[in-house]
Amino acid sequence: MGNALIVGNWKMNGLSAALGEIAAMAAARDDLWVAPPFTLIASAVTTAQSRLRIGGQDCHAKLSGAHTGCVSATMLVDAGAGFVIVGHSERRSDNGESDADVRAKAMVARAAGLDVIVCVGETEAQRDAGNVEAVVGKQLAGSLPDAVDGLVVAYEPVWAIGTGRTPTPDDVAAVHGFIRAQLVTRFGAAGQGVRILYGGSVKPENAALLLGQPNVGGALVGGASLTAASLLAIAAAAS
Ligand code: PEP
């Protein structure tokens, strides 16, 4: 599926000094997507000068209102963002977000004009119990928006996030094949065109192997996206 899409998720990391990393990424490539914290989105957009796609790590399911501390999809658009990540496992666990919550966020983000990355993935206990397809299938059924336009799916096994552990390449291929089949069942032929990212401890050393598996259209990268050097090395390894 064409070139790999490499997306950085900075999580709750990054002060204004980190804009230097954005500048270095933008100087080297024009195809990376990066989701810095909300506080840096507008300045990252300015710094990147259209060479990077800057996005949010979450948005609210409503467009405005009495929701102290929350950020809406239209606010992200207003700040210059082009995409948003929804349903990251840290949001699902830290904030109790359900599949229905994630779907509502995805729908509102699409309506606001953002591309949306919907994250799914099993815990270690769910994998050990042999329930990967049941868990991921239920998350897909409940979390995806109604149409594939602007949709990216990220498969992120929870036990692989930030741990240095990854599934085997065969396991990655198996789950991505399952996700592809679910997308085609739900959306017909259009489901073939949806990009599916792998996420979970992607590093320059393992990127080529993991991203070389069938139905892997790129990577969602956490820790290794914080510096230009490592995100660029992943992007180079992937292409
Ligand atoms: C993530 O947070 O989406 C992620 C994949 O993190 P890491 O790359 O650090 O495992």
Side-chain angles (χ1 to χ4, degrees):
M1 176 192 277
N3 287 344
L5 172 63
I6 307 298
V7 183
N9 169 20
W10 281 13
K11 313 193 187 196
M12 198 172 70
N13 299 291
L15 303 177
S16 46
L19 292 170
E21 302 299 330
I22 296 286
M25 291 171 190
R29 298 185 71 110
D30 65 0
D31 58 352
L32 302 176
W33 294 18
V34 180
F38 291 136
T39 49
L40 289 185
I41 287 177
S43 44
V45 167
T46 303
T47 300
Q49 296 189 342
S50 304
R51 301 261 308 160
L52 305 180
R53 202 130 191 256
I54 302 298
Q57 300 171 15
D58 179 50
C59 66
H60 197 275
K62 296 213 165 75
L63 286 179
S64 65
H67 303 288
T68 302
C70 297
V71 170
S72 75
T74 42
M75 291 170 182
L76 293 176
V77 172
D78 189 49
F83 73 96
V84 65
I85 300 167
V86 295
H88 190 281
S89 65
E90 289 154 13
R91 299 285 319 173
R92 290 178 184 264
S93 63
D94 292 1
N95 301 76
E97 292 185 8
S98 67
D99 290 332
D101 295 329
V102 175
R103 174 179 149 79
K105 291 176 180 214
M107 297 287 285
V108 83
R110 285 298 306 130
L114 294 168
D115 284 356
V116 61
I117 302 176
V118 178
C119 303
V120 297
E122 81 286 355
T123 64
E124 185 158 36
Q126 289 165 334
R127 174 165 283 266
D128 290 346
N131 289 336
V132 175
E133 292 192 358
V135 168
V136 171
K138 181 165 177 290
Q139 290 174 331
L140 290 170
S143 305
L144 294 184
D146 284 341
V148 297
D149 296 335
L151 172 65
V152 176
V153 173
Y155 169 58
E156 298 205 303
V158 177
W159 53 272
I161 295 176
T163 60
R165 298 164 57 207
T166 63
T168 66
D170 284 351
D171 285 342
V172 169
V175 181
H176 279 246
F178 170 75
I179 292 172
R180 175 69 66 212
Q182 296 295 109
L183 290 168
V184 170
T185 298
R186 173 135 167 212
F187 298 109
Q192 290 287 3
V194 177
R195 193 182 285 274
I196 309 170
L197 307 179
Y198 167 76
S201 295
V202 175
K203 309 218 172 327
E205 307 80 63
N206 62 19
L209 186 58
L210 293 169
L211 274 66
Q213 301 310 307
N215 289 303
V216 178
L220 181 53
V221 184
S225 74
L226 293 173
T227 66
S230 71
L231 195 65
L232 291 169
I234 288 170
S239 51

